Amino acid sequence: MLVVKKFGGTSVADKERIFNVARRCIEDYKKGNDVVVVLSAMGKMTDALLAQAKEINPNPPKREVDMLLTVGEQTSVALMSMAMDSLGVPSISLNAFQVAMHTTSAYGNARLKGIDTDRIRNELEARKIVIITGFQGIDKMDNYTTLGRGGSDTTAVALAAALKADQCEIYTDVDGVYTADPRYVKNARKLDEITYDEMLDLASLGAGVLHNRSVEMAKKYGVQLVVRSSLNTSEGTVVKEEVSMEKMLISGVASDKNTALISVIGLEDRPGVAFKLFHHLANHNINVDIILQSIGRDGTKDITFTVDEDNADETVEILERHRSGSLKCQKIELDKSVAKVSVVGAGMMSNPGVAAKMFEALYDVGVNIKMISTSEIRVTILIDEGFTNKAMNAVHDIFNLGEE
Ligand code: ADP
Ligand code: ASP
Ligand code: MG
């Protein structure tokens, strides 16, 4: 059997944890399995490297940021291989260049295009545990790229798909996927299983337990995932196409503080204005999330939308650049102290009361709603960031998600 095992930052944060992971992998190896291990950078090393970059240059070139960040994952894999060596088991560490993990050139947010598997297969054939850097890739000019924060999950799923692995296990610092982030929602409950679609929505809406692109890829290639703890042996959560239980009304609540609200006020009220605005942003690879347009008044209208907070300053700069040309407006406002809170569930499709109930929960705790966006299986609201935990707990409780 071929197993891909991914361990996140907290799971390899220090010497003891590195040995803990080494032993878990060796256990699998000794059963006769082929073992591919994907690692994140130790603890908060990626954050530390980013802070170091900002100290030198507040606006560092994106290529060089990725060059720097690859060091994090490279440190973990080398140390892991040393740990395995000291336990008497043959292994080899490989980075994205040595494997050849091909990506686009979108530094900081690159997409995997293909993985060469020959080297990995040869090393497995030689009965080594193969330890691979998560999160990083190379583009067609051999520049290092990274896949976006949390991207090691995507490396693991992509490897599982490319190697046609029998199992893909994502080890982390919680026991599995919960109905809400257990760090902030005290009644959060662990789910035994969840569908790709629900997990994809939760991940995209801020449930950082899995990188959303890893779920997208798992669905596309039919890779069944298990999310479980690296610190104990409890069962974890299976992420797959269909779940055996009856569909739950709500599978979970997620929040995302990495959100900024941008209002473009007093735009001309004529065809093509929205097109131009979002076209400029798309040209710079900026993803826009919730969009609200006011009804036109006195020949003008306002367009308000959210972007990832990391992209907020760049977004405002782009809009300012076009203000004297194609995007005439009175004012551009930026608010970074907002958060999104979402409820997700496939059962929502046939139950019209969900949005109202969510709003009731917020009313009960006195939280004001700034924007609302809905799809067939989710409701998202935008609120002041300071109320996130209060709102999360209230929404989680009103749907009784803590109970089986
Ligand atoms: P890793 O370093 O292992 O990749 P992450 O920090 O990226 O770990 O993801 C695990 C964290 O995700 C947990 O510590 C938890 O606080 C957070 N999290 C957010 N939403 C959820 C959820 N619905 N279920 C479980 N964990 C969640
Ligand atoms: N080390 C990277 C990060 O902190 C990737 C990951 O952990 O998945 O975002
Ligand atoms: Mg992660």
Side-chain angles (χ1 to χ4, degrees), residues 6-9 40 149-153 170-173 208-211:
K6 180 261 171 180
F7 295 85
S40 294
R149 297 307 303 268
S152 298
D153 300 328
I170 309 287
Y171 289 86
T172 184
D173 55 4
V209 64
L210 283 177
H211 192 226

Side-chain angles (χ1 to χ4, degrees), residues 270-281:
R270 59 177 172 77
V273 169
F275 159 65
K276 279 183 197 140
L277 197 165
F278 295 115
H279 182 69
H280 291 314
L281 301 184

Side-chain angles (χ1 to χ4, degrees), residues 6-11 40-41 43 150 152-153 170-184 199 202 206-210 227 253-254:
K6 180 261 171 180
F7 295 85
T10 18
S11 305
S40 294
S152 298
D153 300 328
I170 309 287
Y171 289 86
T172 184
D173 55 4
V174 283
D175 289 354
V177 178
Y178 282 69
T179 50
D181 189 335
R183 251 188 302 185
Y184 305 113
M199 190 63 237
L202 280 178
V209 64
L210 283 177
V227 181
V253 184

Side-chain angles (χ1 to χ4, degrees), residues 64-336:
E64 303 308 329
V65 173
D66 283 1
M67 182 75 177
L68 179 69
L69 293 185
T70 54
V71 173
E73 272 60 23
Q74 210 158 304
T75 307
S76 318
V77 294
L79 292 176
M80 185 59 69
S81 185
M82 292 175 198
M84 289 183 183
D85 178 72
S86 77
L87 296 170
V89 172
S91 69
I92 184 165
S93 66
L94 297 173
N95 70 10
F97 186 79
Q98 293 167 319
V99 171
M101 303 245 215
H102 303 282
T103 70
T104 61
S105 298
Y107 300 116
N109 194 26
R111 280 182 177 264
L112 277 164
K113 293 204 303 198
I115 299 177
D116 297 347
T117 52
D118 292 355
R119 175 83 191 260
I120 303 173
R121 292 225 180 261
N122 289 341
E123 302 293 357
L124 290 172
E125 197 87 355
R127 277 307 282 156
K128 288 182 201 164
I129 295 181
V130 183
I131 311 161
I132 299 175
T133 48
F135 181 52
Q136 57 180 252
I138 48 164
D139 73 0
K140 60 176 185 291
M141 304 294 287
D142 286 349
N143 293 304
Y144 279 110
T145 57
T146 62
L147 309 180
R149 297 307 303 268
S152 298
D153 300 328
T154 301
T155 308
V157 175
L159 278 165
L163 293 164
K164 302 196 168 52
D166 301 285
Q167 215 157 293
C168 184
E169 303 163 356
I170 309 287
Y171 289 86
T172 184
D173 55 4
V174 283
D175 289 354
V177 178
Y178 282 69
T179 50
D181 189 335
R183 251 188 302 185
Y184 305 113
V185 176
K186 58 180 186 309
N187 297 327
R189 177 174 54 87
K190 197 197 86 185
L191 300 165
D192 294 329
E193 39 184 27
I194 186 168
T195 65
Y196 292 126
D197 288 334
E198 288 168 311
M199 190 63 237
L200 184 58
D201 264 1
L202 280 178
S204 304
L205 294 163
V209 64
L210 283 177
H211 192 226
N212 62 349
R213 294 229 298 273
S214 74
V215 186
E216 216 170 68
M217 195 171 296
K219 179 177 160 80
K220 183 167 169 194
Y221 295 101
V223 176
Q224 188 165 310
L225 301 179
V226 183
V227 181
R228 54 191 300 192
S229 170
S230 65
L231 305 167
N232 62 46
T233 54
S234 72
E235 290 277 308
T237 303
V238 180
V239 189
K240 55 185 184 175
E241 188 64 47
E242 290 280 342
V243 298
S244 47
M245 294 178 286
E246 203 178 316
K247 280 219 168 62
M248 282 179 298
L249 174 59
I250 304 293
S251 51
V253 184
S255 68
D256 187 356
K257 293 182 180 174
N258 179 26
T259 298
L261 180 65
I262 295 177
S263 308
V264 188
I265 295 164
L267 283 158
E268 293 169 275
D269 190 16
R270 59 177 172 77
V273 169
F275 159 65
K276 279 183 197 140
L277 197 165
F278 295 115
H279 182 69
H280 291 314
L281 301 184
N283 278 345
H284 287 81
N285 272 324
I286 291 179
N287 273 329
V288 173
D289 192 24
I290 312 173
I291 303 175
L292 194 78
Q293 181 179 301
S294 70
I295 293 174
R297 226 179 308 107
D298 306 327
T300 68
K301 65 184 172 193
D302 309 335
I303 294 181
T304 309
F305 58 93
T306 61
V307 292
D308 281 354
E309 197 168 317
D310 321 325
N311 293 329
D313 294 326
E314 191 185 349
T315 304
V316 173
E317 271 164 41
I318 295 166
L319 297 177
E320 290 286 357
R321 266 207 300 279
H322 293 282
R323 231 175 128 170
S324 54
S326 56
L327 270 186
K328 291 198 180 56
C329 65
Q330 286 155 12
K331 219 170 19 178
I332 298 171
E333 286 177 354
L334 169 61
D335 183 357
K336 290 185 181 175

